[in-house]
Amino acid sequence: IHYFLKGMTCEDVKREQDSFYEFTKYLLTAFRGTGKTFVLQNWEGDWVLTPPYTDKQVDPAEAQGMIDWLNARQDGVDRARREVKMDGVRVFHAAEVNLVDRAMQGKATVTNSVLPHTHCDLYSYSAYDTILQGPKAIRRALDYLAKTAPDSKLFGARNIYVGEFGVTESSVGDKERLRIVREALETYLDFGVRYALFWELYCYGPKRKL
């Protein structure tokens, strides 16, 4: 699926850019005047370069492939927006990371090895690695991500959002879960994230007695 891990040829870059150009052009045309906002993003990029439950380290060649892939997508979105314009509909492109805590430890991650070399509209944090550590850890992660991710033309330095956060029913009791979620959301809002997406109303994890 992630063909860019083998490196992006010029043809690969053009094909990726063209596909995002065509899709963005369609969205800007078909939904003109509706007030809708579309954010096109990958999902939890760290699991691509460092799959879970493995000891795989970031391969510099694979990191470069992801850089080229993300930039090609952004370039396609930019090209469509220059041509069609955003008239009552908005389309943005984002890159998502999920191991910011590991990045803050100085380890090679998408945050450290990929994001500084990209030029996306937005940067998304799937924020499960810090949510149980409390507001201070959450804020440190957001500050670190904001420092590492480049500013964007559309949003400047305020181009960070939380693409996923939540707590499974099986990890803590209901009252504790509500407290953790509330404190996390308050921290996100205090930081000034553009969006915060709660995952999810129905628990996705196995439920067992605590």
Side-chain angles (χ1 to χ4, degrees), residues 60-99:
E62 293 181 349
Q64 185 60 56
M66 180 176 273
I67 292 167
D68 295 338
W69 180 68
L70 289 170
N71 284 337
R73 290 179 161 207
Q74 182 66 54
D75 291 343
V77 172
D78 287 342
R79 181 155 58 103
R81 289 193 308 223
R82 287 194 301 270
E83 180 178 319
V84 182
K85 308 299 182 183
M86 293 193 287
D87 180 11
V89 58
R90 304 187 300 171
V91 180
F92 307 129
H93 171 251
E96 183 171 90
V97 299
N98 58 290
L99 295 179

Side-chain angles (χ1 to χ4, degrees), residues 72-195:
R73 290 179 161 207
Q74 182 66 54
D75 291 343
V77 172
D78 287 342
R79 181 155 58 103
R81 289 193 308 223
R82 287 194 301 270
E83 180 178 319
V84 182
K85 308 299 182 183
M86 293 193 287
D87 180 11
V89 58
R90 304 187 300 171
V91 180
F92 307 129
H93 171 251
E96 183 171 90
V97 299
N98 58 290
L99 295 179
V100 179
D101 189 46
R102 184 184 295 182
M104 291 190 293
Q105 299 171 31
K107 298 178 181 179
T109 62
V110 174
T111 301
N112 289 336
S113 302
V114 173
L115 296 194
H117 309 287
T118 62
H119 50 269
C120 302
D121 294 322
L122 295 163
Y123 293 91
S124 171
Y125 176 24
S126 184
Y128 296 108
D129 61 342
T130 55
I131 192 168
L132 296 180
Q133 297 180 40
K136 290 183 179 179
I138 293 170
R139 182 58 188 247
R140 283 197 300 270
L142 291 169
D143 287 337
Y144 187 88
L145 179 57
K147 182 179 178 180
T148 307
D151 297 351
S152 69
K153 294 179 181 178
L154 290 179
F155 301 108
R158 293 196 59 199
N159 60 346
I160 304 299
Y161 70 96
V162 176
E164 271 191 54
F165 77 102
V167 181
T168 61
E169 287 181 301
S170 59
S171 60
V172 294
D174 289 343
K175 290 184 178 179
E176 183 70 359
R177 183 167 177 256
L178 179 60
R179 180 191 64 79
I180 292 170
V181 168
R182 180 185 291 115
E183 288 184 352
L185 183 57
E186 289 173 349
T187 305
Y188 302 148
L189 295 176
D190 181 70
F191 172 83
V193 298
R194 293 209 160 262
Y195 313 105

Side-chain angles (χ1 to χ4, degrees), residues 28-70:
L28 291 175
T29 302
F31 295 93
R32 181 181 289 119
T34 62
K36 294 183 181 296
T37 296
F38 297 91
V39 180
L40 313 178
Q41 68 153 74
N42 64 305
W43 173 76
E44 296 188 345
D46 285 289
W47 290 153
V48 179
L49 296 189
T50 53
Y53 313 115
T54 73
D55 57 0
K56 185 179 184 301
Q57 303 299 305
V58 172
D59 182 323
E62 293 181 349
Q64 185 60 56
M66 180 176 273
I67 292 167
D68 295 338
W69 180 68
L70 289 170

